[in-house]
Amino acid sequence: EYKRLLLDYNREVRRATNDTMSSLVTAVKKGLAPHLKSLMGPWWFSQFDPAAEVAQAGRRSFEAAFPQSDRRLDALMLCVKETFVYLNENLKLTTQALSDKVTPTDELEDMHHRVISSSLLAMATLIDILLGVKLKSNGGESANTESKSHLKVRSATLSSAEAALSMHKYFIDFLKSKSAAIRSATYTLLTSYIKYVPHVFNEEAMKILSSTILGAFNEKDPLCHSAMWDTILVFSRKFPEAWSYCNIHKVVLNRFWHFLQNGCYGSKQASYPLIVQFLDVIPSEVATEKFAIEFLQNLWAGRNQRQLSAADSLAFFTAFKLSFLWLLKKVPRNSVGDSSDNIHNRLITNVLVKIVWHDYLQLSLSKNLDTIPGLLSEEATTDDHQLSHKSLLVQNVRLPIYYYQDLGKCIVEILDEISVAESHLLEVACESLLRDYLDIVHQGEKLSKFQDHVDQLASFFCSLDLLVVQNGRTWPLENLARPLVIHSLPAIKSMDSPSLVKLLLNLVEIFGPVHLFLKYSEKNDDKSYVEPYLNVFNSDFVPWCLDGKHITCSSKIDLLLSLIQEECFFDQWCLIIKYIIAKQKRSVDDKISHTNDQFELLTLILQKVRERIAGGKLRNLQRSGSLPEHWRHDLLDSVAVSVFCDLPATDSHVHFLCAALGGSSQDDQVCFLSAEAVCKIRESILKSLASVLTTSTFEWTRSAHFLLLPAEHEHLKLLGEQSLLANFEMAQFAFQVFERSLFALRIHEEDSVFSHILAALFIIEWECSMALTLEEENDLEGHKEEIDAETLLCNSSDDRLGATVHLKANLAEHIHAFRQSLIPSFWNDLRSDTLNRLANILAQSVRYSVFDTRDLGIDRTAALCSEWVVDMLRLVCLDHIKLQSFYDILLSEREDWPLWVKPSLQNGHASVKFQCEPLATEETV
């Protein structure tokens, strides 16, 4: 009954049977001994059930009966014959023999497959344990007895194994089963026989088994492939003469080619790592050049069969690399009628380059290895090195990124290996790679995927850097990078392609510009390379990288900065600045309107330098050039200061000044201008903002202007003669610079200019609010005659006034938004003297507006000024001392005491209140 239950279709029944066995042996203990031989066969069989939980239950029951491993081994040795008999009987079972006329046919077939596969695995494991494991001896007086016992067990095992092999005719029929589990188990059993019962494989057995085992590559189920490979490799190593008993090309290689073509029928990760081991066991007379051709052809053809996972890709390219290197080493030795160099060259040129390298570049071949068996023939090795247009057509197959990463690594590692053992082959390979690269550059944008090809080249050099260059090898520089630059730099400069510029930038970052552009240079203490390198830098790169062409401008600036070296930093930076300024002067002299382009270039350069300094990315500059002050230059100061004289100013002027000043945030402390230049720029900003006040019709703004610029009487006259539009353009330009570089302009706030600029912003906004109020309440006709006709924007004075108010409103709106965006900590962090100067100027300006305004009624003026003061005090946080000082100035006594202020007595303390309502009499004090 126990035997029958272990064959049941239901796995729960089989598991419960094993659990019951565990309980039984625990209960009866030594009472099991008389029944052990009859139980051992099914008991051992149950431990190889395909259902994991059933097999585990079987092992638990066995361990429950024999807790120690040596006792379990003794039990097996005692029952070896009975176990073999039981397993042999199982292997003889048919589907019909299992039938009880109730079980469905499909269940019976499944039961039969399970019984056969489990019996085969049980037999294989039994042979491995009893013949493969060296049995221990305890020594002493019992040593001889145990040795005899072990020999008896070994003899019984061998005789039982021989009988089983003969009984089942080498298990050949099981290899023909439609069940993958049975075939896999048969391969496993044959492997055990080959290892531990090799004497059974006589000549007769070789004739039967050689074709079956060596030709097993027609096995298409990946579940069988691990066991299949073990059998093939063990058989070939154990019996190398077996190859002579079969038709190698028809039976073995033909099936092997189909196996490779079909991507190992889905077992890539299991099969690819074993391919080189298979090459090692192939007879030497088989491994010829023709074999190498067909092998590589079929291996490459199967790389993309079925879905390619990342693990599959890695397994394939590892196998390809090892196989290619194996062929380079072994094939010439086994070939006749041709020199090994010619064979090597053909493998390198026509496989590694024309197939593998082209696939990496995403090029399709006019002659493809997958379809042309004679690709490596002499016809395919003509001297026509120029790729045809057709050969550069890109495949329409989009492969995953990891495929190209693994492919690039494969090529790099092959090249690195041959650089050690076969340097002449490295030269052949690198020359071919360079020819392909130059062909791509020559055809350029004619190629639909030109950018993809160049990007792949850049990725390839990154792989070279990671795998080879960083390990101290120099061949990538000498054989690839430097020749590539020498032969393609003129074409790169003429094409002006962003992809090619980035490729050049990658090469510079990997190999260093000095080694890349100076063939025999060595960086040493005498610095003899500096002068020739500066000549190359100045003649070949500065004019090209600063030509201002928008499509490549950013990339070329990156390249130019990467070419700056520590030993000649100051000379190189000076060359760049001088070239840009000279180009700007030529544009002005020739009356060509390209001056702004030079400001854009300077802006882009300074922005990129700022990013590198802030991010610590100046790898080539560790001392000189690592700090902002290293990049300061008198010519840069001069250009920045002169911008305020080059009206009309444009956005490029604003961007340049902000890039030079920095200070867009409190953390941005990178400024490329000297302290003297920053002070001059602050003064220019103040003058430009104050110029707006000269356009006002209100008398009080003149007084406010004098507060801001007390020593600028002549400047005031000059500003009065300028056009209205020019004044507003100057102010708008100055405000944009101040807003975007606030924290840089604040650094030296100990002088009065910074506080005056802040005051000017308040006053401009106040003047605008009064002008808007005047426009709303008064008849405009009475004011038109006061406006100078020369400053009109159009023929109509009404249009002129509307334009003026619009310009003021636009500027005031931006100023207001800027003031509101300043967080309280900004005002709190200002120096005490800065706040005092600001409060004083604003207090006096409010007084001037009250005393000197005649265009509005006193009540409206009082209301406006009250709003200004409240808004200012809400924004600028003054402590009680500064606030008292502010009020002392604001309310200081004068002949015409301000009628909009009235005394107030609260809690015994004198104070004042703002009186916004109209007062009854002017005599009120």
Side-chain angles (χ1 to χ4, degrees):
E1 188 65 21
Y2 173 63
K3 297 178 181 179
R4 187 183 64 81
L5 290 174
L6 290 177
L7 302 182
D8 196 273
Y9 177 77
N10 191 319
R11 69 176 61 190
E12 288 301 317
V13 172
R14 303 196 304 274
R15 184 190 60 77
T17 300
N18 284 325
D19 290 341
T20 303
M21 187 65 169
S22 295
S23 301
L24 178 64
V25 297
T26 303
V28 300
K29 297 183 180 179
K30 292 184 179 181
L32 183 67
H35 310 281
L36 184 59
K37 288 189 177 183
S38 63
L39 290 175
M40 183 56 74
W43 206 355
W44 182 250
F45 162 81
S46 69
Q47 299 177 50
F48 298 91
D49 195 287
E53 65 272 22
V54 177
Q56 289 172 3
R59 283 191 289 274
R60 283 196 301 267
S61 67
F62 194 57
E63 291 168 358
F66 308 103
Q68 291 81 24
S69 60
D70 57 338
R71 300 305 298 167
R72 291 194 291 271
L73 182 59
D74 289 342
L76 280 176
M77 293 166 59
L78 179 65
C79 307
V80 59
K81 289 183 179 180
E82 291 75 12
T83 304
F84 266 103
V85 169
Y86 174 80
L87 295 176
N88 282 326
E89 291 301 320
N90 279 356
L91 294 177
K92 293 177 182 179
L93 288 175
T94 64
T95 305
Q96 292 74 20
L98 294 172
S99 174
D100 57 4
K101 299 182 180 180
V102 177
T103 308
T105 304
D106 57 336
E107 292 186 8
L108 285 172
E109 187 174 352
D110 183 72
M111 290 169 59
H112 182 256
H113 291 166
R114 175 170 45 79
V115 170
I116 299 300
S117 63
S118 297
S119 298
L120 291 168
L121 289 175
M123 188 177 292
T125 307
L126 192 61
I127 293 173
D128 290 344
I129 290 175
L130 297 181
L131 298 179
V133 178
K134 187 176 182 180
L135 300 178
K136 297 180 180 179
S137 175
N138 294 326
E141 297 179 357
S142 62
N144 292 332
T145 303
E146 288 186 4
S147 178
K148 291 178 181 179
S149 175
H150 293 165
L151 289 174
K152 184 177 179 181
V153 171
R154 180 176 180 81
S155 176
T157 304
L158 287 172
S159 61
S160 298
E162 291 169 5
L165 186 70
S166 176
M167 181 185 305
H168 301 291
K169 299 178 181 179
Y170 306 104
F171 306 103
I172 293 294
D173 290 338
F174 294 122
L175 289 176
K176 300 175 183 178
S177 172
K178 64 180 181 180
S179 168
I182 291 177
R183 298 196 304 274
S184 177
T186 305
Y187 286 123
T188 301
L189 178 57
L190 285 173
T191 301
S192 297
Y193 267 92
I194 296 166
K195 288 180 177 179
Y196 305 116
V197 199
H199 62 274
V200 299
F201 294 93
N202 51 31
E203 185 175 358
E204 179 187 355
M206 289 296 179
K207 291 178 180 179
I208 296 173
L209 288 175
S210 61
S211 296
T212 301
I213 295 177
L214 297 177
F217 292 108
N218 58 354
E219 174 60 68
K220 297 182 180 180
D221 196 312
L223 295 176
C224 301
H225 287 169
S226 291
M228 176 199 77
W229 273 109
D230 286 343
T231 305
I232 293 173
L233 295 174
V234 170
F235 184 72
S236 298
R237 291 175 186 137
K238 198 77 172 181
F239 310 110
E241 69 277 8
W243 288 81
S244 63
Y245 288 97
C246 64
N247 187 328
I248 295 176
H249 293 281
K250 183 178 180 180
V251 176
V252 182
L253 295 184
N254 189 47
R255 293 177 183 179
F256 184 50
W257 300 153
H258 282 88
F259 183 79
L260 295 178
Q261 286 175 13
N262 289 278
C264 306
Y265 296 114
S267 66
K268 294 183 175 69
Q269 295 177 50
S271 295
Y272 282 140
L274 301 173
I275 286 178
V276 174
Q277 296 184 39
F278 180 67
L279 294 178
D280 278 331
V281 300
I282 290 176
S284 58
E285 62 270 16
V286 175
T288 62
E289 181 184 2
K290 183 176 184 296
F291 170 84
I293 295 170
E294 293 180 339
F295 169 78
L296 292 172
Q297 169 186 347
N298 291 290
L299 177 62
W300 189 257
R303 70 195 185 283
N304 292 326
Q305 296 297 320
R306 309 186 184 190
Q307 188 173 2
L308 188 73
S309 67
D312 291 342
S313 173
L314 180 61
F316 171 80
F317 286 112
T318 301
F320 185 88
K321 177 193 72 174
L322 296 175
S323 300
F324 189 86
L325 293 172
W326 187 93
L327 292 169
L328 281 180
K329 181 179 180 181
K330 301 289 186 179
V331 169
R333 191 172 60 191
N334 302 324
S335 299
V336 294
D338 203 350
S339 69
S340 61
D341 282 349
N342 287 339
I343 299 171
H344 279 153
N345 290 350
R346 287 198 289 273
L347 287 173
I348 292 292
T349 303
N350 294 313
V351 176
L352 185 62
V353 176
K354 292 187 177 179
I355 303 301
V356 183
W357 174 244
H358 285 189
D359 188 50
Y360 179 78
L361 292 180
Q362 302 179 17
L363 305 174
S364 63
L365 296 172
S366 56
K367 294 180 180 179
N368 196 299
L369 183 62
D370 295 342
T371 57
I372 306 296
L375 180 63
L376 299 186
S377 65
E378 289 295 331
E379 292 181 2
T381 58
T382 62
D383 292 330
D384 183 14
H385 300 305
Q386 182 72 20
L387 295 176
S388 66
H389 178 68
K390 182 183 291 185
S391 71
L392 293 177
L393 295 176
V394 179
Q395 296 178 353
N396 293 322
V397 179
R398 183 174 294 276
L399 295 168
I401 294 175
Y402 55 74
Y403 172 88
Y404 290 106
Q405 291 174 340
D406 294 337
L407 175 53
K409 181 181 178 183
C410 172
I411 298 171
V412 168
E413 291 178 344
I414 289 175
L415 293 175
D416 196 40
E417 285 288 337
I418 65 176
S419 71
V420 177
E422 306 282 354
S423 59
H424 64 286
L425 289 182
L426 177 68
E427 295 177 2
V428 172
C430 291
E431 287 174 3
S432 299
L433 301 188
L434 288 172
R435 281 195 295 269
D436 289 341
Y437 163 75
L438 293 174
D439 282 340
I440 291 173
V441 173
H442 176 72
Q443 297 202 39
E445 300 297 339
K446 295 178 183 177
L447 301 171
S448 60
K449 298 292 184 180
F450 171 73
Q451 182 173 339
D452 292 340
H453 305 329
V454 179
D455 289 345
Q456 285 297 101
L457 279 166
S459 298
F460 178 73
F461 276 103
C462 289
S463 296
L464 271 175
D465 179 37
L466 183 64
L467 300 172
V468 181
V469 177
Q470 292 184 19
N471 291 326
R473 310 294 277 273
T474 60
W475 68 261
L477 171 66
E478 297 166 354
N479 294 81
L480 280 177
R482 188 184 290 136
L484 182 150
V485 169
I486 291 173
H487 292 100
S488 66
L489 185 58
I492 292 176
K493 293 168 70 173
S494 63
M495 289 179 64
D496 218 47
S497 163
S499 298
L500 289 174
V501 175
K502 290 180 181 178
L503 172 61
L504 193 57
L505 173 60
N506 285 348
L507 295 177
V508 169
E509 292 178 343
I510 292 171
F511 299 102
V514 176
H515 294 300
L516 198 61
F517 300 115
L518 298 182
K519 187 172 183 180
Y520 300 107
S521 69
E522 287 293 337
K523 285 192 174 184
N524 46 46
D525 294 337
D526 62 14
K527 298 183 180 180
S528 59
Y529 70 91
V530 171
E531 185 175 350
Y533 178 66
L534 282 175
N535 291 335
V536 171
F537 178 79
N538 192 34
S539 60
D540 289 347
F541 291 100
V542 171
W544 174 52
C545 292
L546 298 177
D547 61 10
K549 294 183 179 178
H550 291 288
I551 189 172
T552 55
C553 186
S554 179
S555 301
K556 287 190 291 191
I557 296 300
D558 287 331
L559 173 62
L560 193 65
L561 292 177
S562 70
L563 295 175
I564 298 179
Q565 296 295 287
E566 208 157 46
E567 294 80 2
C568 41
F569 165 77
F570 295 104
D571 292 326
Q572 288 179 284
W573 182 230
C574 184
L575 288 171
I576 293 172
I577 297 295
K578 285 183 177 179
Y579 181 86
I580 295 176
I581 293 176
K583 189 174 180 181
Q584 176 184 344
K585 290 181 178 179
R586 288 196 300 271
S587 299
V588 173
D589 295 341
D590 298 338
K591 298 182 179 180
I592 302 174
S593 59
H594 292 312
T595 305
N596 290 345
D597 293 343
Q598 316 318 316
F599 284 108
E600 291 173 4
L601 276 175
L602 282 171
T603 300
L604 187 57
I605 292 173
L606 295 178
Q607 286 174 342
K608 288 183 178 293
V609 173
R610 180 184 308 280
E611 293 171 1
R612 284 163 171 75
I613 291 176
K617 297 179 180 178
L618 288 168
R619 293 189 303 173
N620 52 324
L621 303 173
Q622 297 300 318
R623 297 186 301 275
S624 301
S626 60
L627 298 175
E629 50 265 31
H630 297 163
W631 297 83
R632 292 171 185 170
H633 197 282
D634 291 343
L635 289 176
L636 194 60
D637 286 350
S638 175
V639 173
V641 171
S642 66
V643 165
F644 282 89
C645 302
D646 296 335
L647 295 175
T650 64
D651 288 342
S652 63
H653 291 83
V654 175
H655 297 155
F656 162 65
L657 278 178
C658 294
L661 287 166
S664 59
S665 67
Q666 198 156 3
D667 297 331
D668 184 5
Q669 300 296 320
V670 178
C671 179
F672 299 112
L673 301 178
S674 65
E676 182 182 356
V678 173
C679 290
K680 289 181 179 179
I681 290 173
R682 277 207 309 267
E683 292 172 359
S684 297
I685 290 174
L686 176 59
K687 292 177 182 179
S688 299
L689 290 172
S691 68
V692 173
L693 301 178
T694 65
T695 67
S696 175
T697 59
F698 300 114
E699 186 64 29
W700 68 272
T701 60
R702 309 282 176 165
S703 301
H705 184 279
F706 180 77
L707 290 174
L708 297 174
L709 296 169
E712 295 291 333
H713 295 294
E714 295 300 322
H715 178 67
L716 182 60
K717 294 179 182 179
L718 181 61
L719 290 174
E721 296 174 358
Q722 289 182 352
S723 69
L724 180 68
L725 181 59
N727 283 334
F728 276 102
E729 284 182 347
M730 288 175 61
Q732 188 72 36
F733 168 68
F735 170 69
Q736 289 178 353
V737 174
F738 182 77
E739 179 185 22
R740 299 179 190 181
S741 297
L742 172 66
F743 294 95
L745 295 168
R746 171 188 161 182
I747 292 176
H748 301 286
E749 63 173 281
E750 59 272 10
D751 61 19
S752 62
V753 179
F754 186 75
S755 58
H756 286 203
I757 294 175
L758 292 174
L761 298 179
F762 280 97
I763 295 171
I764 290 171
E765 189 178 347
W766 292 351
E767 193 277 340
C768 178
S769 66
M770 182 173 283
L772 291 174
T773 303
L774 179 62
E775 186 180 30
E776 292 173 358
E777 296 188 356
N778 294 344
D779 183 8
L780 300 180
E781 294 298 327
H783 300 280
K784 288 182 181 178
E785 295 178 0
E786 300 176 10
I787 303 173
D788 187 357
E790 293 182 2
T791 63
L792 296 181
L793 297 177
C794 55
N795 292 332
S796 169
S797 59
D798 289 335
D799 293 342
R800 155 65 179 79
L801 189 56
T804 302
V805 174
H806 175 73
L807 290 171
K808 287 183 179 180
N810 183 55
L811 178 59
E813 181 181 352
H814 286 93
I815 291 175
H816 180 77
F818 168 68
R819 287 199 301 106
Q820 296 300 320
S821 69
L822 297 175
I823 59 177
S825 62
F826 169 79
W827 302 100
N828 294 334
D829 292 342
L830 291 176
R831 292 166 57 96
S832 177
D833 52 352
T834 299
L835 285 173
N836 284 334
R837 285 191 291 266
L838 172 63
N840 291 346
I841 293 174
L842 294 181
Q844 293 184 61
S845 296
V846 171
R847 287 174 61 87
Y848 288 144
S849 66
V850 173
F851 297 146
D852 299 339
T853 298
R854 301 289 180 266
D855 304 314
L856 288 176
I858 192 171
D859 57 337
R860 196 71 185 100
T861 301
L864 275 176
C865 292
S866 299
E867 292 173 3
W868 297 348
V869 172
V870 171
D871 175 65
M872 185 273 291
L873 292 177
R874 185 185 300 116
L875 198 62
V876 182
C877 302
L878 301 176
D879 58 32
H880 69 280
I881 298 176
K882 293 184 177 63
L883 186 61
Q884 183 62 51
S885 176
F886 172 78
Y887 279 128
D888 287 345
I889 297 173
L890 180 68
L891 305 177
S892 60
E893 189 172 352
R894 181 175 151 162
E895 292 181 2
D896 44 354
W897 181 265
L899 302 181
W900 49 280
V901 176
K902 68 178 184 179
S904 175
L905 188 65
Q906 294 182 354
N907 299 325
H909 297 284
S911 62
V912 296
K913 285 186 176 180
F914 294 119
Q915 179 69 40
C916 297
E917 294 80 9
L919 298 177
T921 173
E922 294 183 1
E923 284 79 15
T924 303
V925 294

